[in-house]
Short mmCIF file of all heavy atoms in Angstrom, two decimals:
data_model
loop_
_atom_site.label_atom_id
_atom_site.label_comp_id
_atom_site.label_asym_id
_atom_site.label_seq_id
_atom_site.Cartn_x
_atom_site.Cartn_y
_atom_site.Cartn_z
N PHE A 85 -13.03 61.14 38.25
CA PHE A 85 -12.05 62.22 38.40
C PHE A 85 -12.28 63.31 37.34
O PHE A 85 -12.37 64.50 37.64
CB PHE A 85 -10.65 61.60 38.25
CG PHE A 85 -9.50 62.52 38.49
CD1 PHE A 85 -9.03 62.76 39.77
CD2 PHE A 85 -8.82 63.12 37.42
CE1 PHE A 85 -7.92 63.58 39.99
CE2 PHE A 85 -7.73 63.94 37.63
CZ PHE A 85 -7.28 64.17 38.92
N ALA A 86 -12.43 62.87 36.08
CA ALA A 86 -12.63 63.82 34.98
C ALA A 86 -13.96 64.55 35.11
O ALA A 86 -14.05 65.76 34.88
CB ALA A 86 -12.55 63.08 33.64
N LEU A 87 -15.00 63.83 35.50
CA LEU A 87 -16.32 64.45 35.63
C LEU A 87 -16.35 65.48 36.77
O LEU A 87 -16.94 66.56 36.63
CB LEU A 87 -17.40 63.39 35.87
CG LEU A 87 -17.76 62.52 34.66
CD1 LEU A 87 -18.68 61.38 35.07
CD2 LEU A 87 -18.43 63.35 33.56
N PHE A 88 -15.71 65.15 37.88
CA PHE A 88 -15.70 66.11 39.01
C PHE A 88 -14.95 67.38 38.62
O PHE A 88 -15.37 68.48 38.96
CB PHE A 88 -15.09 65.48 40.27
CG PHE A 88 -16.05 64.58 41.01
CD1 PHE A 88 -15.84 63.21 41.10
CD2 PHE A 88 -17.17 65.10 41.64
CE1 PHE A 88 -16.72 62.38 41.79
CE2 PHE A 88 -18.05 64.28 42.34
CZ PHE A 88 -17.83 62.93 42.40
N TRP A 89 -13.84 67.23 37.89
CA TRP A 89 -13.09 68.43 37.48
C TRP A 89 -13.88 69.25 36.47
O TRP A 89 -13.86 70.48 36.49
CB TRP A 89 -11.70 68.08 36.95
CG TRP A 89 -10.69 67.92 38.05
CD1 TRP A 89 -10.09 66.77 38.46
CD2 TRP A 89 -10.17 68.95 38.91
NE1 TRP A 89 -9.23 67.01 39.52
CE2 TRP A 89 -9.27 68.33 39.82
CE3 TRP A 89 -10.39 70.34 39.01
CZ2 TRP A 89 -8.58 69.05 40.80
CZ3 TRP A 89 -9.69 71.05 40.01
CH2 TRP A 89 -8.81 70.41 40.87
N ALA A 90 -14.61 68.56 35.58
CA ALA A 90 -15.42 69.28 34.57
C ALA A 90 -16.50 70.10 35.29
O ALA A 90 -16.70 71.28 34.99
CB ALA A 90 -16.05 68.27 33.61
N ALA A 91 -17.18 69.47 36.23
CA ALA A 91 -18.24 70.18 36.98
C ALA A 91 -17.64 71.37 37.74
O ALA A 91 -18.20 72.46 37.78
CB ALA A 91 -18.92 69.21 37.95
N ARG A 92 -16.46 71.14 38.31
CA ARG A 92 -15.79 72.19 39.10
C ARG A 92 -15.43 73.40 38.23
O ARG A 92 -15.57 74.55 38.67
CB ARG A 92 -14.53 71.58 39.74
CG ARG A 92 -13.77 72.50 40.70
CD ARG A 92 -12.86 71.69 41.60
NE ARG A 92 -13.64 70.72 42.34
CZ ARG A 92 -13.35 69.41 42.42
NH1 ARG A 92 -12.26 68.92 41.85
NH2 ARG A 92 -14.15 68.60 43.09
N ALA A 93 -14.99 73.14 37.01
CA ALA A 93 -14.61 74.25 36.12
C ALA A 93 -15.82 75.16 35.88
O ALA A 93 -15.70 76.40 35.92
CB ALA A 93 -14.09 73.69 34.80
N ASP A 94 -16.98 74.56 35.66
CA ASP A 94 -18.18 75.36 35.39
C ASP A 94 -18.65 76.09 36.65
O ASP A 94 -19.02 77.27 36.61
CB ASP A 94 -19.30 74.45 34.88
CG ASP A 94 -20.44 75.28 34.30
OD1 ASP A 94 -20.26 75.79 33.17
OD2 ASP A 94 -21.46 75.46 34.99
N HIS A 95 -18.60 75.40 37.76
CA HIS A 95 -19.00 75.98 39.05
C HIS A 95 -18.13 77.19 39.40
O HIS A 95 -18.62 78.25 39.81
CB HIS A 95 -18.85 74.87 40.11
CG HIS A 95 -19.21 75.27 41.50
ND1 HIS A 95 -18.64 74.68 42.60
CD2 HIS A 95 -20.08 76.19 41.98
CE1 HIS A 95 -19.15 75.22 43.69
NE2 HIS A 95 -20.02 76.14 43.35
N LEU A 96 -16.82 77.04 39.18
CA LEU A 96 -15.88 78.12 39.48
C LEU A 96 -16.18 79.34 38.61
O LEU A 96 -16.31 80.46 39.10
CB LEU A 96 -14.46 77.60 39.23
CG LEU A 96 -13.31 78.43 39.74
CD1 LEU A 96 -13.32 78.52 41.26
CD2 LEU A 96 -11.97 77.83 39.30
N LYS A 97 -16.33 79.08 37.31
CA LYS A 97 -16.51 80.18 36.36
C LYS A 97 -17.85 80.90 36.57
O LYS A 97 -17.91 82.12 36.54
CB LYS A 97 -16.43 79.63 34.94
CG LYS A 97 -16.63 80.68 33.86
CD LYS A 97 -16.22 80.13 32.51
CE LYS A 97 -16.27 81.23 31.46
NZ LYS A 97 -17.58 81.35 30.86
N ASN A 98 -18.91 80.14 36.77
CA ASN A 98 -20.24 80.76 36.76
C ASN A 98 -20.81 81.10 38.12
O ASN A 98 -21.79 81.84 38.20
CB ASN A 98 -21.21 79.84 35.99
CG ASN A 98 -20.86 79.83 34.52
OD1 ASN A 98 -20.66 80.88 33.91
ND2 ASN A 98 -20.72 78.65 33.95
N THR A 99 -20.25 80.57 39.19
CA THR A 99 -20.79 80.87 40.53
C THR A 99 -19.73 81.48 41.45
O THR A 99 -19.93 82.55 42.02
CB THR A 99 -21.38 79.59 41.17
OG1 THR A 99 -22.37 79.06 40.29
CG2 THR A 99 -22.00 79.88 42.53
N ILE A 100 -18.61 80.79 41.58
CA ILE A 100 -17.64 81.20 42.61
C ILE A 100 -16.95 82.51 42.24
O ILE A 100 -16.96 83.47 43.03
CB ILE A 100 -16.60 80.07 42.87
CG1 ILE A 100 -17.31 78.82 43.39
CG2 ILE A 100 -15.53 80.55 43.86
CD1 ILE A 100 -16.43 77.59 43.54
N ILE A 101 -16.38 82.58 41.04
CA ILE A 101 -15.62 83.78 40.66
C ILE A 101 -16.53 85.03 40.66
O ILE A 101 -16.16 86.07 41.23
CB ILE A 101 -14.86 83.58 39.33
CG1 ILE A 101 -13.79 82.49 39.53
CG2 ILE A 101 -14.24 84.89 38.83
CD1 ILE A 101 -13.03 82.08 38.27
N PRO A 102 -17.75 84.95 40.08
CA PRO A 102 -18.61 86.15 40.12
C PRO A 102 -18.94 86.60 41.55
O PRO A 102 -18.97 87.80 41.83
CB PRO A 102 -19.88 85.70 39.37
CG PRO A 102 -19.42 84.60 38.47
CD PRO A 102 -18.33 83.90 39.22
N ALA A 103 -19.16 85.65 42.46
CA ALA A 103 -19.47 86.01 43.85
C ALA A 103 -18.27 86.70 44.51
O ALA A 103 -18.42 87.74 45.17
CB ALA A 103 -19.88 84.78 44.65
N LEU A 104 -17.09 86.16 44.31
CA LEU A 104 -15.88 86.76 44.90
C LEU A 104 -15.69 88.17 44.35
O LEU A 104 -15.35 89.10 45.09
CB LEU A 104 -14.65 85.90 44.61
CG LEU A 104 -14.64 84.49 45.21
CD1 LEU A 104 -13.43 83.70 44.69
CD2 LEU A 104 -14.60 84.55 46.74
N ALA A 105 -15.95 88.33 43.05
CA ALA A 105 -15.79 89.65 42.41
C ALA A 105 -16.79 90.67 42.97
O ALA A 105 -16.49 91.85 43.05
CB ALA A 105 -15.95 89.51 40.91
N ARG A 106 -17.99 90.18 43.37
CA ARG A 106 -18.99 91.08 43.99
C ARG A 106 -18.62 91.45 45.42
O ARG A 106 -19.29 92.23 46.06
CB ARG A 106 -20.36 90.37 44.08
CG ARG A 106 -21.10 90.15 42.80
CD ARG A 106 -22.57 89.80 43.11
NE ARG A 106 -22.75 88.56 43.85
CZ ARG A 106 -22.87 87.35 43.29
NH1 ARG A 106 -22.78 87.21 42.00
NH2 ARG A 106 -23.06 86.28 44.04
N GLY A 107 -17.61 90.79 45.96
CA GLY A 107 -17.19 91.08 47.33
C GLY A 107 -17.80 90.13 48.34
O GLY A 107 -17.69 90.33 49.55
N GLN A 108 -18.46 89.08 47.84
CA GLN A 108 -19.07 88.12 48.76
C GLN A 108 -18.06 87.03 49.13
O GLN A 108 -17.25 86.63 48.28
CB GLN A 108 -20.25 87.45 48.03
CG GLN A 108 -21.49 87.36 48.87
CD GLN A 108 -22.66 86.75 48.09
OE1 GLN A 108 -22.64 86.61 46.88
NE2 GLN A 108 -23.68 86.42 48.83
N ASN A 109 -18.11 86.56 50.37
CA ASN A 109 -17.32 85.38 50.73
C ASN A 109 -18.04 84.16 50.19
O ASN A 109 -19.27 84.16 50.08
CB ASN A 109 -17.19 85.27 52.24
CG ASN A 109 -16.43 86.43 52.83
OD1 ASN A 109 -15.25 86.62 52.53
ND2 ASN A 109 -17.10 87.24 53.64
N VAL A 110 -17.28 83.12 49.88
CA VAL A 110 -17.88 81.89 49.36
C VAL A 110 -17.45 80.72 50.25
O VAL A 110 -16.27 80.59 50.58
CB VAL A 110 -17.42 81.63 47.90
CG1 VAL A 110 -17.93 80.28 47.40
CG2 VAL A 110 -17.89 82.75 46.97
N LEU A 111 -18.43 79.91 50.64
CA LEU A 111 -18.12 78.68 51.38
C LEU A 111 -18.69 77.52 50.58
O LEU A 111 -19.90 77.43 50.36
CB LEU A 111 -18.75 78.72 52.78
CG LEU A 111 -18.53 77.49 53.66
CD1 LEU A 111 -17.06 77.31 54.03
CD2 LEU A 111 -19.37 77.58 54.94
N VAL A 112 -17.80 76.65 50.10
CA VAL A 112 -18.25 75.52 49.27
C VAL A 112 -18.30 74.25 50.11
O VAL A 112 -17.35 73.91 50.81
CB VAL A 112 -17.29 75.28 48.08
CG1 VAL A 112 -17.87 74.21 47.16
CG2 VAL A 112 -17.08 76.53 47.29
N ASP A 113 -19.44 73.56 49.98
CA ASP A 113 -19.62 72.25 50.60
C ASP A 113 -18.93 71.23 49.69
O ASP A 113 -19.45 70.92 48.63
CB ASP A 113 -21.15 72.02 50.69
CG ASP A 113 -21.53 70.67 51.26
OD1 ASP A 113 -20.64 69.84 51.48
OD2 ASP A 113 -22.73 70.46 51.47
N ARG A 114 -17.74 70.82 50.08
CA ARG A 114 -16.83 69.94 49.32
C ARG A 114 -16.17 70.70 48.16
O ARG A 114 -16.77 71.58 47.56
CB ARG A 114 -17.52 68.71 48.74
CG ARG A 114 -18.12 67.77 49.74
CD ARG A 114 -18.47 66.45 49.06
NE ARG A 114 -19.17 65.55 49.94
CZ ARG A 114 -18.58 64.79 50.85
NH1 ARG A 114 -17.28 64.82 51.01
NH2 ARG A 114 -19.29 63.98 51.62
N PHE A 115 -14.94 70.28 47.84
CA PHE A 115 -14.24 70.87 46.69
C PHE A 115 -13.18 69.87 46.25
O PHE A 115 -13.40 68.66 46.34
CB PHE A 115 -13.66 72.25 47.09
CG PHE A 115 -13.36 73.16 45.93
CD1 PHE A 115 -14.35 73.55 45.05
CD2 PHE A 115 -12.06 73.61 45.70
CE1 PHE A 115 -14.07 74.38 43.97
CE2 PHE A 115 -11.76 74.45 44.64
CZ PHE A 115 -12.78 74.83 43.77
N ASP A 116 -12.01 70.37 45.80
CA ASP A 116 -10.99 69.45 45.27
C ASP A 116 -10.48 68.47 46.33
O ASP A 116 -10.01 67.37 46.00
CB ASP A 116 -9.83 70.23 44.65
CG ASP A 116 -9.16 71.19 45.61
OD1 ASP A 116 -9.77 71.57 46.63
OD2 ASP A 116 -8.00 71.57 45.34
N SER A 117 -10.60 68.84 47.62
CA SER A 117 -10.24 67.94 48.71
C SER A 117 -11.01 66.62 48.60
O SER A 117 -10.46 65.54 48.87
CB SER A 117 -10.54 68.61 50.05
OG SER A 117 -11.69 69.44 49.94
N SER A 118 -12.28 66.68 48.16
CA SER A 118 -13.07 65.46 48.01
C SER A 118 -12.57 64.61 46.85
O SER A 118 -12.56 63.39 46.93
CB SER A 118 -14.55 65.79 47.78
OG SER A 118 -15.21 66.05 48.99
N THR A 119 -12.14 65.26 45.76
CA THR A 119 -11.61 64.50 44.62
C THR A 119 -10.35 63.74 45.06
O THR A 119 -10.17 62.56 44.75
CB THR A 119 -11.26 65.45 43.45
OG1 THR A 119 -12.41 66.23 43.15
CG2 THR A 119 -10.83 64.69 42.21
N TYR A 120 -9.51 64.44 45.80
CA TYR A 120 -8.26 63.83 46.28
C TYR A 120 -8.57 62.62 47.17
O TYR A 120 -7.99 61.56 47.03
CB TYR A 120 -7.47 64.89 47.05
CG TYR A 120 -6.05 64.52 47.39
CD1 TYR A 120 -5.03 64.73 46.47
CD2 TYR A 120 -5.73 63.98 48.63
CE1 TYR A 120 -3.71 64.42 46.78
CE2 TYR A 120 -4.41 63.66 48.95
CZ TYR A 120 -3.41 63.88 48.02
OH TYR A 120 -2.10 63.56 48.34
N ALA A 121 -9.54 62.80 48.08
CA ALA A 121 -9.83 61.75 49.05
C ALA A 121 -10.66 60.60 48.48
O ALA A 121 -10.36 59.43 48.73
CB ALA A 121 -10.55 62.36 50.26
N TYR A 122 -11.69 60.93 47.70
CA TYR A 122 -12.57 59.87 47.19
C TYR A 122 -11.98 59.15 45.99
O TYR A 122 -11.98 57.92 45.94
CB TYR A 122 -13.94 60.45 46.78
CG TYR A 122 -14.88 60.64 47.94
CD1 TYR A 122 -14.82 61.80 48.72
CD2 TYR A 122 -15.83 59.69 48.26
CE1 TYR A 122 -15.68 61.99 49.78
CE2 TYR A 122 -16.70 59.87 49.33
CZ TYR A 122 -16.63 61.02 50.09
OH TYR A 122 -17.47 61.20 51.14
#
Side-chain angles (χ1 to χ4, degrees):
F85 185 84
L87 287 172
F88 281 113
W89 276 110
R92 185 161 302 130
D94 193 76
H95 180 208
L96 192 65
K97 179 167 186 272
N98 291 312
T99 303
I100 298 174
I101 295 175
L104 296 173
R106 288 196 297 273
Q108 225 177 347
N109 296 297
V110 174
L111 179 66
V112 187
D113 178 352
R114 298 194 186 279
F115 201 60
D116 58 339
S117 33
S118 278
T119 306
Y120 191 85
Y122 278 84

